[in-house]
Amino acid sequence: MKIEMGESLIYSWLRHVRCCQIVQTNWKVSSQWPLHHEDELQTIMSTVSHAFEEMRGYQIFKKNASLKQVIQQGECDLIGYAATEGHFDVCAVDVAFHEFGLQYGSRQETVCKILAKCARTAMCLYGYMDIKGGEVLFASPKIHRSVMNDALPCIEKLNELFTTLGFSFVAKVVANDDFNQQILRPVLNLSSNVADTSELFLRSYQMLKMFE
């Protein structure tokens, strides 16, 4: 089984920092699941596609891709559920660790990939789990400034579209100093209090600390 260190870090963050009682890694859509709200999902897909094509000339989803094709590609690195007084909060996270900075091709292709992941995850949560709100995060320890300068206004626009369409999803990009301060440091700070051998990122850090 492949172990991805970024996913292990986010797993620990969701469990211990965000206090999610349930965390699912490598969540993927099954072809056997019934898909609900297809008309609304088609509206989301069309609205997002047209908005970014007009705004930046971006092709968020593959040209002529159907709703079914887009949804069936749905996968998310981690999904966490936190229950408080009978209320569930959901946090879905895609994490990417590229040593020399996030890159899925050109700068435009990289931003499109981030937007597509966030939009598709929100659509899958609604279509398969009937969830109309939650956090949809794209996390990466290093994203170049030029990519961030393009991505952040687009994420803001995506959130405006969600609100206009009647949803409460909030998409975010957590990278660079924010990744360090909001994700990495809080996990490292609680490492001495966690003794779960399945959390490989924390176990690696604990081993390193033994020799300091």
Side-chain angles (χ1 to χ4, degrees), residues 146-189:
S146 60
V147 176
M148 288 293 287
N149 287 342
D150 285 357
L152 292 179
C154 292
I155 289 292
E156 185 177 341
K157 178 64 175 179
L158 180 61
N159 288 328
E160 290 177 5
L161 295 174
F162 284 147
T163 300
T164 300
L165 293 168
F167 294 88
S168 300
F169 291 111
V170 177
K172 298 179 182 178
V173 176
V174 183
N176 304 325
D177 287 342
D178 287 340
F179 186 96
N180 183 37
Q181 296 298 326
Q182 297 176 24
I183 295 177
L184 179 60
R185 287 298 162 189
V187 172
L188 296 182
N189 289 340

Side-chain angles (χ1 to χ4, degrees), residues 61 70-71 73-75 115-125:
F61 303 110
V70 170
I71 288 291
Q73 295 171 356
E75 58 181 276
L115 293 171
K117 282 178 175 289
C118 291
R120 181 164 45 228
T121 295
M123 291 165 63
C124 288
L125 289 174

Side-chain angles (χ1 to χ4, degrees), residues 18-82:
R18 294 297 300 267
C19 296
C20 294
Q21 295 92 342
I22 300 173
V23 179
Q24 170 69 55
T25 60
N26 300 313
W27 182 83
K28 294 183 179 181
V29 167
S30 168
S31 60
Q32 303 305 304
W33 295 346
L35 179 65
H36 306 288
H37 313 297
E38 290 193 45
D39 290 343
E40 290 178 82
L41 292 173
Q42 185 64 63
T43 299
I44 295 173
M45 180 177 165
S46 299
T47 301
V48 170
S49 294
H50 293 154
F52 287 108
E53 191 166 1
E54 291 182 1
M55 179 180 176
R56 292 284 181 87
Y58 288 171
Q59 192 76 47
I60 301 301
F61 303 110
K62 289 183 180 179
K63 193 172 183 179
N64 299 322
S66 67
L67 173 64
K68 183 176 181 181
Q69 289 172 321
V70 170
I71 288 291
Q72 284 298 314
Q73 295 171 356
E75 58 181 276
C76 186
D77 290 332
L78 302 103
I79 295 181
Y81 291 91

